[in-house]
Amino acid sequence: MTQTMASFMDLALSEARLAGERGEVPVGCIVVRDGVMIARAGNCVVAAHDPTAHAELVAIRAAGAALGSERLDDCDLYVTLEPCAMCAGAIAFARIRRLYYGAADAKGGAVDNGVKFFASPTCHHRPDVYGGLAEAAASALLKEFFQQRR
């Protein structure tokens, strides 16, 4: 059964909540192909002792393993926070078709903020980008997480 964009972002938000409960920055990600979720992940930087274990990278790795390919041409990625430069690079290398993200990230984002990775003339693949999906819910998770740590 296929799902809607909103329901996929709901799944990404669930992954973000789980990440937050583990003490990770609450970011969640879902990779979808042909209307079916093939991978899901939340941030696990702290638990993995790995600065590259952002939700996007973990989900992209899982999707590649599930499909038996490093190319995710027909896949869409849903993430609760605008990807950073590292994740935007991975999205381009994986050839993700569409990127949907929730909250914009004025400090660390690299899609519509910061370096605007996909607009760079050296970027070899540009997914279709749709920001602001479930933005209020994604922003609220992040704000609450960081307020609890102050």
Side-chain angles (χ1 to χ4, degrees):
M1 172 192 293
T2 62
Q3 295 178 293
T4 65
M5 286 187 300
S7 64
F8 285 127
M9 188 55 84
D10 287 343
L11 291 171
L13 285 163
S14 293
E15 290 296 320
R17 285 184 199 92
L18 291 170
E21 290 169 11
R22 295 189 307 266
E24 304 278 355
V25 174
V27 177
C29 183
I30 301 296
V31 178
V32 175
R33 184 177 184 197
D34 297 328
V36 177
M37 181 184 64
I38 59 168
R40 64 192 307 163
N43 272 358
C44 56
V45 171
V46 176
H49 307 289
D50 179 357
T52 71
H54 289 197
E56 298 96 309
L57 291 182
V58 176
I60 286 170
R61 289 176 187 137
L67 296 176
S69 177
E70 73 283 5
R71 299 287 172 101
L72 305 176
D73 300 298
D74 299 325
C75 294
D76 301 333
L77 188 142
Y78 293 78
V79 64
T80 58
L81 181 64
E82 178 183 355
C84 69
M86 175 180 67
C87 293
I91 289 165
F93 279 109
R95 305 286 201 277
I96 295 289
R97 176 179 55 188
R98 292 184 200 106
L99 165 64
Y100 299 90
Y101 73 84
D105 186 353
K107 289 184 181 178
V111 175
D112 290 321
N113 289 287
V115 300
K116 298 181 181 173
F117 186 88
F118 301 126
S120 168
T122 58
C123 180
H124 62 281
H125 173 76
R126 293 167 182 83
D128 295 333
V129 176
Y130 305 91
L133 190 61
E135 183 173 16
S139 292
L141 275 175
L142 290 159
K143 285 176 187 171
E144 182 181 319
F145 177 83
F146 287 111
Q147 282 175 347
Q148 291 175 356
R149 277 152 180 70
R150 290 188 184 133

